[in-house]
Every structure is written in structure tokens, then in C-alpha cells.
């Protein structure tokens, strides 16, 4: 009987070789640090009311664990993308907007075995660091610990194991992960739930989602071929454009509703208007203008980072005016 391994896609020819260390860094996507910015939002939220000797050590432990568990998630995502051929389809040598070396398995700079070993080792080490963060934190609310456990279990399952992103949960997962990475460290330090931090977490989670959906739009053919049911695959091009537009509006709506209902200060929605303006420009570039999806995706990183700066500023203003 033919081994299933014989049907795995081969690495694409033409990629230059590089050091193993560099390839592992690419596998971990260490240059895409946008989820890790959650720690800055949390630090600014607890800087004045809850700062004590353990605040920074606990947040650093959480951040280190976050980096490692996220590295595991994206490494195992690459394993699945290599197995099903979607990465080979989406990252080819003649694609000007993407570098093949960003996918070490397709480029042939790492083996599947090395990627799996790295992924599970990173997940294990990250879990230990998160456990240390919990035990050294000044507070351990039940909801915080439960959310952390769910997050830790779910992240490696994004595209591997249960394959949540292959079961119609990809967009929800990207936003929910960002929310969890704000709420959990905040709960460990502050020991309580905050409606304002919830609003910030929702907006923070929209950042990775809103460059994820532009990536999905670009990768629609590869995702369709392997049965990955993103909205770009399930909807018509016009329907997908409306979906992305609705998500962009939702990001603004979280802030607006927060200000209107008192969950956030009245001025919060006004402070976040630069994010709204940039998000409109992103949509215009990707869908309403020349249809330059990858340029719009790239702008999405800038939008998210500007949003984080504004969230940090909002926390500082709120503390100064309390």
C-alpha cells in the first residue's frame, strides 16, 4: 500500500537556502508581532490603579508565553498548509508580494518533522510560562484562568488537530484570540473585569482579523482547493467585499457603542477616529478602488498598530482624568 507521505506536496524549487535559526524564526513568524502588542494595552490599563512589584514580571511571563504559543500555532498551521498544498499554491516563486522563504516547509529550508518538533516544544514551553504567570500573579479570577486554559488549548488547534480554521471558525478565532490576549493578562493583574478593557479587547481583536480577511481574499483559490471555508471562499466576490466592509464598520461600532453606553468614556470614539479613517482607506484600496488586496493587507498592519497606540493613549487619559 502506498504511504500517504508520498502524496505530500514537494517543496517548491528555486528558493535559496539559509540558516536553520533564520528558518525557525520565519516559521514562528516573529516579524509579525501584532498580537504581542496586547501587552502594551494591558500595561497602560493597569499602570496607575494596579501597578505593584509583580506587575511587570507577570506581564513579561505572559508575553513570553504568548510569543511561544503563537509560534506553535503558526508553525503547525504551516505543517497543515504544506500537507494540503495550499501554501505551495499561495506562496510561489513568481509571486511579487510574498517571499517564498516565509514558508520554510515549501521552500525546503525545514522538514515537516522539524516544524512539528518546534511547534510542540514551543507550545509546551509557552504553557509552562503561562502557568508561572498565573502562579505569580497578584490575582487569579476563575474567569481569567478558564479563559487562559481555553486559549492555550485552542491555539495549536487553529489549523492542526481539530483544525478550527478548516471548520468555518477562522474569522471568529482571529478576533477572539486578540480579545483573550487582552482580557487574560488584565485579569491576572487587576483581579476584576472591566467593561472599558472589554471594549478595547474587541477593537484590538479586530486588527488581526482585518488583515486576515484581506489575506483570505488573496488566497481564495488555494483555500477553496483544500476546502478551507473562509468567507472569501463561501461568498461571492461582492459578498466577501460586503463582509469585509461590515467588519470595518463593526470595529468603529465597538468604540461608538462603548462611548454611547458608558462602557467607555464619552471621548473614546473620537480618539479612535484616526483608526476609522485609515480603515476606510484600506477598504478603498482593497475593494472600492484598484482592487489592490495585498497593498490593503499591508496597510492593515499599520492600522492595527496605530489603533494600539490610541488604545494606550486612551488608558493614560482615563487614568489621568479619573
Amino acid at each position: 500500500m502506498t504511504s500517504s507521505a508520498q502524496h505530500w506536496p514537494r517543496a517548491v524549487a528555486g528558493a535559496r537556502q539559509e540558516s536553520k535559526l533564520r528558518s525557525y524564526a520565519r516559521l514562528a513568524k516573529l516579524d509579525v508581532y501584532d498580537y504581542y502588542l496586547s501587552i502594551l494595552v494591558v500595561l497602560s490599563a493597569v499602570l496607575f490603579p494596579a501597578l505593584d512589584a509583580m506587575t511587570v514580571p507577570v506581564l513579561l511571563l505572559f508575553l513570553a508565553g504568548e510569543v511561544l504559543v503563537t509560534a506553535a500555532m503558526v508553525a503547525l498551521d504551516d505543517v497543515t498548509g504544506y500537507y494540503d498544498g495550499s501554501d505551495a499554491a499561495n506562496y510561489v516563486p513568481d509571486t511579487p508580494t510574498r517571499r517564498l522563504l516565509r514558508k520554510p516547509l515549501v521552500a525546503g529550508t525545514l522538514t515537516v518533522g522539524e516544524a512539528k518538533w518546534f511547534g510542540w516544544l514551543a507550545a509546551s514551553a509557552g504553557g509552562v510560562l503561562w502557568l508561572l504567570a498565573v502562579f505569580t500573579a497578584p490575582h487569579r479570577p476563575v474567569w481569567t484562568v478558564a479563559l487562559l486554559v481555553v486559549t492555550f488549548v485552542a491555539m495549536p488547534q487553529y489549523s492542526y488537530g481539530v483544525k478550527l480554521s478548516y471548520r468555518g471558525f477562522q474569522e471568529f478565532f482571529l478576533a477572539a484570540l486578540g480579545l483573550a490576549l487582552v482580557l487574560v493578562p488584565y485579569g491576572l493583574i487587576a483581579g476584576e473585569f472591566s467593561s472599558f478593557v472589554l471594549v478595547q479587547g474587541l477593537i484590538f481583536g479586530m486588527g488581526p482579523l482585518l488583515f486576515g480577511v484581506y489575506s483570505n481574499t488573496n488566497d481564495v483559490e488555494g483555500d477553496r482547493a483544500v476546502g478551507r471555508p473562509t468567507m472569501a471562499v463561501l461568498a461571492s466576490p461582492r459578498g466577501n467585499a460586503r463582509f469585509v466592509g461590515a467588519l470595518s464598520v463593526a470595529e468603529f461600532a465597538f468604540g461608538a457603542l462603548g462611548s454611547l453606553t458608558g462602557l467607555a468614556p464619552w471621548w473614546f470614539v473620537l480618539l479612535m477616529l484616526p483608526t476609522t479613517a485609515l480603515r476606510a482607506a484600506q477598504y478603498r484600496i482593497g475593494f472600492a478602488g484598484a482592487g489592490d488586496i495585498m497593498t490593503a493587507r499591508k496597510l492593515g498592519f499599520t492600522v492595527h498598530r496605530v489603533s494600539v497606540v490610541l488604545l494606550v493613549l486612551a488608558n493614560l487619559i482615563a487614568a489621568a482624568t479619573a
Side-chain angles (χ1 to χ4, degrees), residues 13-63:
R16 71 178 188 274
Q17 295 298 305
E18 61 180 3
S19 71
K20 288 289 186 181
L21 182 62
R22 185 68 182 274
S23 293
Y24 280 121
R26 292 186 189 276
L27 184 68
K29 307 296 185 289
L30 293 180
D31 58 324
V32 183
Y33 53 83
D34 295 84
Y35 273 125
Y36 312 145
L37 298 177
S38 66
I39 216 71
L40 297 179
V41 177
V42 174
L43 179 61
S44 66
V46 302
L47 192 58
F48 294 107
L51 186 65
D52 62 26
M54 288 308 300
T55 296
V56 172
V58 169
L59 291 181
L60 288 177
L61 281 171
F62 185 87
L63 175 60

Side-chain angles (χ1 to χ4, degrees), residues 40-307:
L40 297 179
V41 177
V42 174
L43 179 61
S44 66
V46 302
L47 192 58
F48 294 107
L51 186 65
D52 62 26
M54 288 308 300
T55 296
V56 172
V58 169
L59 291 181
L60 288 177
L61 281 171
F62 185 87
L63 175 60
E66 180 180 347
V67 171
L68 287 169
V69 180
T70 303
M73 178 181 75
V74 296
L76 294 172
D77 178 68
D78 274 13
V79 170
T80 298
Y82 178 76
Y83 279 164
D84 64 23
S86 58
D87 281 349
N90 294 328
Y91 289 78
V92 294
D94 61 350
T95 301
T97 52
R98 288 185 170 182
R99 293 175 294 172
L100 180 61
L101 286 171
R102 286 186 57 79
K103 293 293 183 178
L105 297 181
V106 179
T109 59
L110 291 176
T111 67
V112 172
E114 289 170 332
K116 286 183 177 181
W117 174 86
F118 173 85
W120 291 119
L121 183 62
S124 300
V128 169
L129 289 172
W130 273 353
L131 193 62
L132 288 173
V134 169
F135 280 117
T136 57
H139 305 283
R140 289 179 286 276
V142 173
W143 67 266
T144 301
V145 176
L147 182 57
L148 180 59
V149 170
V150 170
T151 302
F152 175 71
V153 171
M155 286 178 70
Q157 311 296 325
Y158 173 66
S159 295
Y160 197 82
V162 175
K163 295 186 179 180
L164 294 170
S165 68
Y166 283 71
R167 301 183 186 279
F169 295 104
Q170 194 219 41
E171 291 88 357
F172 172 80
F173 182 96
L174 293 175
L177 178 57
L179 174 61
L181 294 176
V182 170
L183 291 181
V184 170
Y186 179 82
L188 292 176
I189 299 301
E192 62 184 11
F193 180 82
S194 165
S195 60
F196 187 25
V197 173
L198 171 63
V199 172
Q200 293 179 66
L202 289 169
I203 292 173
F204 181 87
M206 295 301 290
L209 171 58
L210 276 164
F211 49 72
V213 291
Y214 282 88
S215 292
N216 291 345
T217 301
N218 182 76
D219 296 344
V220 61
E221 295 304 326
D223 287 340
R224 180 178 289 118
V226 300
R228 194 175 197 175
T230 65
M231 184 58 68
V233 169
L234 298 174
S236 66
R238 178 176 293 184
N240 179 58
R242 289 175 176 171
F243 174 68
V244 176
L247 292 177
S248 302
V249 172
E251 182 183 48
F252 166 77
F254 287 140
L257 289 172
S259 290
L260 285 173
T261 61
L263 297 178
W266 65 267
W267 44 261
F268 179 68
V269 64
L270 301 178
L271 182 67
M272 299 303 296
L273 284 178
T275 296
T276 304
L278 286 170
R279 197 64 78 190
Q282 181 189 22
Y283 186 82
R284 184 173 63 252
I285 292 169
F287 292 101
D292 190 345
I293 292 296
M294 292 308 287
T295 297
R297 176 186 180 273
K298 185 177 180 180
L299 178 58
F301 291 95
T302 299
V303 180
H304 178 63
R305 293 162 192 175
V306 168
S307 179

